[in-house]
mmCIF file of all heavy atoms in Angstrom:
data_model
loop_
_atom_site.group_PDB
_atom_site.id
_atom_site.type_symbol
_atom_site.label_atom_id
_atom_site.label_comp_id
_atom_site.label_asym_id
_atom_site.label_seq_id
_atom_site.Cartn_x
_atom_site.Cartn_y
_atom_site.Cartn_z
ATOM 1 N N VAL A 1440 -15.124 -8.687 7.360
ATOM 2 C CA VAL A 1440 -14.856 -9.972 6.702
ATOM 3 C C VAL A 1440 -15.970 -10.317 5.728
ATOM 4 O O VAL A 1440 -15.716 -10.821 4.629
ATOM 5 C CB VAL A 1440 -14.658 -11.085 7.760
ATOM 6 C CG1 VAL A 1440 -14.684 -12.457 7.127
ATOM 7 C CG2 VAL A 1440 -13.359 -10.868 8.494
ATOM 8 N N ARG A 1441 -17.195 -10.023 6.087
ATOM 9 C CA ARG A 1441 -18.320 -10.287 5.183
ATOM 10 C C ARG A 1441 -18.185 -9.455 3.897
ATOM 11 O O ARG A 1441 -18.424 -9.952 2.793
ATOM 12 C CB ARG A 1441 -19.636 -9.969 5.891
ATOM 13 C CG ARG A 1441 -20.866 -10.260 5.116
ATOM 14 C CD ARG A 1441 -21.049 -11.731 4.950
ATOM 15 N NE ARG A 1441 -22.213 -11.951 4.118
ATOM 16 C CZ ARG A 1441 -22.608 -13.127 3.740
ATOM 17 N NH1 ARG A 1441 -21.960 -14.189 4.122
ATOM 18 N NH2 ARG A 1441 -23.647 -13.259 2.982
ATOM 19 N N MET A 1442 -17.789 -8.196 4.033
ATOM 20 C CA MET A 1442 -17.591 -7.357 2.849
ATOM 21 C C MET A 1442 -16.409 -7.847 2.028
ATOM 22 O O MET A 1442 -16.426 -7.773 0.802
ATOM 23 C CB MET A 1442 -17.383 -5.903 3.259
ATOM 24 C CG MET A 1442 -18.631 -5.247 3.775
ATOM 25 S SD MET A 1442 -18.365 -3.559 4.318
ATOM 26 C CE MET A 1442 -17.934 -2.786 2.778
ATOM 27 N N ASP A 1443 -15.382 -8.369 2.701
ATOM 28 C CA ASP A 1443 -14.227 -8.906 1.992
ATOM 29 C C ASP A 1443 -14.611 -10.154 1.203
ATOM 30 O O ASP A 1443 -14.144 -10.355 0.081
ATOM 31 C CB ASP A 1443 -13.113 -9.220 2.986
ATOM 32 C CG ASP A 1443 -11.807 -9.574 2.323
ATOM 33 O OD1 ASP A 1443 -11.610 -9.154 1.166
ATOM 34 O OD2 ASP A 1443 -10.982 -10.256 2.955
ATOM 35 N N LEU A 1444 -15.466 -10.973 1.766
ATOM 36 C CA LEU A 1444 -15.904 -12.176 1.063
ATOM 37 C C LEU A 1444 -16.772 -11.853 -0.150
ATOM 38 O O LEU A 1444 -16.787 -12.598 -1.127
ATOM 39 C CB LEU A 1444 -16.681 -13.094 2.008
ATOM 40 C CG LEU A 1444 -15.851 -13.788 3.091
ATOM 41 C CD1 LEU A 1444 -16.766 -14.527 4.049
ATOM 42 C CD2 LEU A 1444 -14.855 -14.734 2.465
ATOM 43 N N GLU A 1445 -17.477 -10.739 -0.100
ATOM 44 C CA GLU A 1445 -18.364 -10.352 -1.197
ATOM 45 C C GLU A 1445 -17.750 -9.266 -2.076
ATOM 46 O O GLU A 1445 -18.460 -8.501 -2.718
ATOM 47 C CB GLU A 1445 -19.693 -9.867 -0.638
ATOM 48 C CG GLU A 1445 -20.483 -10.959 0.040
ATOM 49 C CD GLU A 1445 -21.824 -10.480 0.542
ATOM 50 O OE1 GLU A 1445 -22.104 -9.272 0.447
ATOM 51 O OE2 GLU A 1445 -22.582 -11.316 1.033
ATOM 52 N N ARG A 1446 -16.435 -9.199 -2.143
ATOM 53 C CA ARG A 1446 -15.788 -8.135 -2.911
ATOM 54 C C ARG A 1446 -16.040 -8.256 -4.409
ATOM 55 O O ARG A 1446 -15.944 -7.285 -5.130
ATOM 56 C CB ARG A 1446 -14.306 -8.096 -2.624
ATOM 57 C CG ARG A 1446 -13.550 -9.294 -3.107
ATOM 58 C CD ARG A 1446 -12.061 -9.174 -2.819
ATOM 59 N NE ARG A 1446 -11.414 -10.446 -3.026
ATOM 60 C CZ ARG A 1446 -11.033 -11.267 -2.068
ATOM 61 N NH1 ARG A 1446 -11.248 -10.927 -0.823
ATOM 62 N NH2 ARG A 1446 -10.451 -12.400 -2.344
ATOM 63 N N ASP A 1447 -16.342 -9.454 -4.909
ATOM 64 C CA ASP A 1447 -16.632 -9.622 -6.333
ATOM 65 C C ASP A 1447 -18.088 -9.348 -6.661
ATOM 66 O O ASP A 1447 -18.488 -9.414 -7.807
ATOM 67 C CB ASP A 1447 -16.278 -11.043 -6.775
ATOM 68 C CG ASP A 1447 -14.791 -11.293 -6.746
ATOM 69 O OD1 ASP A 1447 -14.037 -10.323 -6.963
ATOM 70 O OD2 ASP A 1447 -14.383 -12.431 -6.495
ATOM 71 N N GLY A 1448 -18.881 -9.060 -5.687
ATOM 72 C CA GLY A 1448 -20.305 -8.815 -5.881
ATOM 73 C C GLY A 1448 -21.092 -9.745 -4.988
ATOM 74 O O GLY A 1448 -20.634 -10.823 -4.614
ATOM 75 N N ALA A 1449 -22.273 -9.320 -4.626
ATOM 76 C CA ALA A 1449 -23.099 -10.141 -3.743
ATOM 77 C C ALA A 1449 -23.559 -11.391 -4.490
ATOM 78 O O ALA A 1449 -23.929 -11.342 -5.656
ATOM 79 C CB ALA A 1449 -24.303 -9.338 -3.271
ATOM 80 N N HIS A 1450 -23.512 -12.497 -3.785
ATOM 81 C CA HIS A 1450 -23.937 -13.760 -4.371
ATOM 82 C C HIS A 1450 -25.294 -14.111 -3.786
ATOM 83 O O HIS A 1450 -25.468 -14.171 -2.582
ATOM 84 C CB HIS A 1450 -22.931 -14.868 -4.068
ATOM 85 C CG HIS A 1450 -21.559 -14.559 -4.554
ATOM 86 N ND1 HIS A 1450 -21.216 -14.663 -5.872
ATOM 87 C CD2 HIS A 1450 -20.452 -14.120 -3.913
ATOM 88 C CE1 HIS A 1450 -19.949 -14.325 -6.025
ATOM 89 N NE2 HIS A 1450 -19.473 -13.975 -4.845
ATOM 90 N N SER A 1451 -26.248 -14.347 -4.652
ATOM 91 C CA SER A 1451 -27.603 -14.625 -4.184
ATOM 92 C C SER A 1451 -27.807 -16.095 -3.883
ATOM 93 O O SER A 1451 -28.901 -16.496 -3.530
ATOM 94 C CB SER A 1451 -28.615 -14.167 -5.230
ATOM 95 O OG SER A 1451 -28.434 -14.922 -6.422
ATOM 96 N N GLY A 1452 -26.769 -16.892 -4.004
ATOM 97 C CA GLY A 1452 -26.912 -18.309 -3.732
ATOM 98 C C GLY A 1452 -27.270 -19.114 -4.965
ATOM 99 O O GLY A 1452 -27.288 -20.339 -4.927
ATOM 100 N N GLN A 1453 -27.559 -18.454 -6.064
ATOM 101 C CA GLN A 1453 -27.894 -19.163 -7.295
ATOM 102 C C GLN A 1453 -26.650 -19.244 -8.167
ATOM 103 O O GLN A 1453 -25.986 -18.235 -8.415
ATOM 104 C CB GLN A 1453 -29.006 -18.428 -8.043
ATOM 105 C CG GLN A 1453 -30.305 -18.369 -7.263
ATOM 106 C CD GLN A 1453 -31.362 -17.615 -8.033
ATOM 107 O OE1 GLN A 1453 -31.117 -17.156 -9.130
ATOM 108 N NE2 GLN A 1453 -32.531 -17.489 -7.443
ATOM 109 N N PRO A 1454 -26.313 -20.442 -8.646
ATOM 110 C CA PRO A 1454 -25.098 -20.583 -9.447
ATOM 111 C C PRO A 1454 -25.169 -19.847 -10.781
ATOM 112 O O PRO A 1454 -24.133 -19.497 -11.349
ATOM 113 C CB PRO A 1454 -24.968 -22.086 -9.660
ATOM 114 C CG PRO A 1454 -26.188 -22.718 -9.126
ATOM 115 C CD PRO A 1454 -26.958 -21.697 -8.376
ATOM 116 N N THR A 1455 -26.351 -19.567 -11.286
ATOM 117 C CA THR A 1455 -26.451 -18.881 -12.573
ATOM 118 C C THR A 1455 -25.958 -17.437 -12.478
ATOM 119 O O THR A 1455 -25.382 -16.915 -13.431
ATOM 120 C CB THR A 1455 -27.895 -18.894 -13.082
ATOM 121 O OG1 THR A 1455 -28.735 -18.293 -12.090
ATOM 122 C CG2 THR A 1455 -28.364 -20.323 -13.347
ATOM 123 N N VAL A 1456 -26.168 -16.798 -11.317
ATOM 124 C CA VAL A 1456 -25.720 -15.413 -11.143
ATOM 125 C C VAL A 1456 -24.202 -15.361 -11.167
ATOM 126 O O VAL A 1456 -23.599 -14.502 -11.822
ATOM 127 C CB VAL A 1456 -26.270 -14.833 -9.821
ATOM 128 C CG1 VAL A 1456 -25.699 -13.449 -9.562
ATOM 129 C CG2 VAL A 1456 -27.778 -14.786 -9.844
ATOM 130 N N LEU A 1457 -23.556 -16.287 -10.465
ATOM 131 C CA LEU A 1457 -22.103 -16.332 -10.443
ATOM 132 C C LEU A 1457 -21.541 -16.653 -11.829
ATOM 133 O O LEU A 1457 -20.544 -16.064 -12.250
ATOM 134 C CB LEU A 1457 -21.631 -17.363 -9.423
ATOM 135 C CG LEU A 1457 -20.147 -17.411 -9.112
ATOM 136 C CD1 LEU A 1457 -19.674 -16.054 -8.607
ATOM 137 C CD2 LEU A 1457 -19.857 -18.488 -8.100
#
Side-chain angles (χ1 to χ4, degrees):
V1440 167
R1441 183 69 184 177
M1442 289 178 65
D1443 189 24
L1444 289 173
E1445 293 182 355
R1446 67 178 168 257
D1447 292 329
H1450 302 283
S1451 63
Q1453 297 179 0
T1455 57
V1456 174
L1457 189 58

